[in-house]
Amino acid sequence: MRAEAVEAMMPYLSELYANPSGSHRFARRARQAVDEARDTVARVVGCHPNEVVFTGCGTESDNMAIVGAIARRGGVALCPAVEHHAVLHVVEHLDGRSSGGHASGRGSVVGVDAFGRVDLDELAAILGATPDVTIVSVMAVNNEVGTITDIAEVARVVRRHAPDALLHTDAVQSACWLDLRDITPHVDLLSLSAHKFGGPKGVGVLVERGGPKVDPLLVGGGQERERRSGTHNTAGIVAAAVALDLTDRERVDENVRLVALRDRLVDGLRDRLDGITETVPREYKVAGSAHVCITGIESEALLFLLDEAGVCASAASACASGAMEPSHVLAAMGVDRSMALGALRLTLGQTTMAADIERAVDVIGAAVDQLRRHHPTPAVADVSAPTTLDPIASAS
Ligand code: PLP
């Protein structure tokens, strides 16, 4: 968390702890803090304060958009195959592909191009052939590979082929890199999550433009103008607004700084190692994302060595029943399975400094050398069979 956000939330954990829905003086102070936070969020997002609904996380905002739209109007929900599971699993659930299915609606998943952007021709064809599409959900920035989707372009297709459908964007990964004011006018619903921009975990936002568009997910006390029941997380909401405001003010300069560091990181890895493939070209990505596929290693083993050396990274592949499964994002982009098993996802942010980049290149270079010496897979050995990884097995 940003220090300023931690500082801002502290009073609301102690002397200003009152419930903002109460009527006494302390409650009114808390209420005022929530209202001011709402004004700040609205200013940065580019909407009216009444259109801001505070939720418990990005997942809840995504679920509310889709489940709430289908609950209100029935019909079909569409999303691209590279969405975060907070969207994809909801749509697949409606489609009956995950447990149970959903009685009142259907879901359909749209293909993407090699960079992870929704296939607009396929989207248009599905919209044209499906008269009862209720909601289309397309993420603005992909969390795994960093690809930016032009939401204005998506909106043109949706408005043309399904004028009655709602357009939702999961903008959870966008606030640090893009001006949300450029995205909001094109959508009906937009999701954010505070911990992606230096705020606390457990605070989300759903923007509902033009008033209520979907049924609430949580009902009860009627908070958030009946849109989201549950006692407000005042401290978290205040801190989220402080973090979002700072992120917005610093965004342009941070983009310049971090794109240079990201380029140094990826160029450094390419200079240091053979067999580095950039998964998505840099011009299609946000500044904070470096995603490469490294031949001749398996990322879970690499992550183990990186963690030991103090470099925190991820691979975005799920390890189920001892078998490595490449990420659904890379699979949808058509990345070869053997490449995907060597995926490494490095992210940069507000705290990343030049020295971190030099160290990361050294540590990753040494770890990849070590793995290639000791485990000459998968480029050399058979890569078609699922592989159990010793370091992970022994670690868990
Ligand atoms: N959507 C995207 C693109 C994300 O990256 C994440 C979190 O990683 C979420 C949704 C879920 O947000 P939260 O962790 O706040 O539930």
Side-chain angles (χ1 to χ4, degrees), residues 56-60 62 84-87 139 141-143 170-173 192-196 202-204 345:
C57 57
T59 301
E60 185 191 325
D62 286 346
H84 188 277
H85 286 140
V87 167
M139 71 201 317
V141 174
N142 184 270
N143 52 302
D170 174 341
V172 164
Q173 292 283 345
L192 296 175
S193 176
H195 68 103
K196 304 298 184 191
V203 181
R345 172 187 170 199

Side-chain angles (χ1 to χ4, degrees), residues 150-183:
D150 183 345
I151 294 296
E153 207 179 5
V154 174
R156 273 192 288 279
V157 172
V158 173
R159 303 308 181 206
R160 173 147 182 242
H161 296 277
D164 294 333
L166 298 171
L167 178 57
H168 167 249
T169 189
D170 174 341
V172 164
Q173 292 283 345
S174 306
C176 294
W177 318 114
L178 305 178
D179 189 342
L180 297 170
R181 300 168 193 86
D182 294 337
I183 299 174

Side-chain angles (χ1 to χ4, degrees), residues 2 36 38 46 148-149 216 250 267 321 347 375:
R2 283 174 172 270
E36 285 170 6
R38 193 186 308 284
I148 300 168
T149 288
E250 295 169 6
D267 292 339
S321 327
T347 50
H375 301 278

Side-chain angles (χ1 to χ4, degrees), residues 79-390:
C79 78
V82 295
E83 290 293 309
H84 188 277
H85 286 140
V87 167
L88 186 63
H89 280 173
V90 180
V91 171
E92 287 178 346
H93 185 73
L94 292 166
D95 194 28
R97 274 198 256 171
S98 67
S99 55
H102 195 286
S104 60
R106 287 168 290 134
S108 187
V109 176
V110 188
V112 298
D113 67 13
F115 304 153
R117 296 171 304 182
V118 62
D119 181 334
L120 292 175
D121 292 336
E122 187 181 329
L123 177 62
I126 296 178
L127 290 174
T130 320
D132 57 342
V133 172
T134 297
I135 183 163
V136 179
S137 182
V138 179
M139 71 201 317
V141 174
N142 184 270
N143 52 302
E144 213 171 295
V145 292
T147 301
I148 300 168
T149 288
D150 183 345
I151 294 296
E153 207 179 5
V154 174
R156 273 192 288 279
V157 172
V158 173
R159 303 308 181 206
R160 173 147 182 242
H161 296 277
D164 294 333
L166 298 171
L167 178 57
H168 167 249
T169 189
D170 174 341
V172 164
Q173 292 283 345
S174 306
C176 294
W177 318 114
L178 305 178
D179 189 342
L180 297 170
R181 300 168 193 86
D182 294 337
I183 299 174
T184 305
H186 301 290
V187 299
D188 303 293
L189 300 149
L190 179 145
S191 299
L192 296 175
S193 176
H195 68 103
K196 304 298 184 191
F197 48 77
K201 292 170 181 60
V203 181
V205 170
L206 181 67
V207 174
E208 283 186 298
R209 288 192 60 239
K213 291 277 185 283
V214 301
D215 280 0
L217 209 55
L218 300 189
V219 290
Q223 287 88 346
E224 291 294 274
R225 305 171 312 286
E226 306 279 344
R227 309 303 300 139
R228 199 278 187 181
S229 288
T231 300
H232 285 97
N233 173 3
T234 313
I237 288 169
V238 166
V242 166
L244 186 62
D245 186 40
L246 285 169
T247 298
D248 182 51
R249 288 173 200 278
E250 295 169 6
R251 178 172 37 76
V252 173
D253 290 343
E254 277 293 87
N255 265 287
V256 173
R257 186 180 78 85
L258 289 169
V259 102
L261 289 185
R262 191 272 312 275
D263 290 353
R264 258 164 79 179
L265 174 62
V266 179
D267 292 339
L269 289 175
R270 294 178 71 121
D271 290 346
R272 172 73 173 71
L273 293 164
D274 295 331
I276 300 281
T277 305
E278 287 180 59
T279 318
V280 172
R282 296 173 207 182
E283 59 268 34
Y284 297 104
K285 289 164 59 83
V286 293
S289 164
H291 192 287
V292 292
C293 294
I294 308 176
T295 53
I297 59 118
E298 285 163 342
S299 36
E300 295 298 322
L302 178 62
L303 293 184
F304 181 81
L305 293 179
L306 298 188
D307 186 37
E308 283 201 317
V311 171
C312 307
S314 78
S317 57
C319 186
S321 327
M324 292 297 303
E325 284 305 324
S327 87
H328 72 284
V329 174
L330 300 184
M333 289 163 56
V335 175
D336 181 68
R337 181 183 157 86
S338 62
M339 290 272 287
L341 287 177
L344 180 64
R345 172 187 170 199
L346 300 158
T347 50
L348 298 82
Q350 190 224 341
T351 59
T352 309
M353 298 296 154
D356 301 321
I357 301 299
E358 314 311 328
R359 175 145 171 76
V361 171
D362 286 347
V363 167
I364 295 166
V368 171
D369 285 346
Q370 183 183 338
L371 290 173
R372 282 179 174 164
R373 262 197 318 274
H374 295 299
H375 301 278
T377 67
V380 183
D382 173 20
V383 293
S384 57
T387 315
T388 305
L389 292 166
D390 297 343

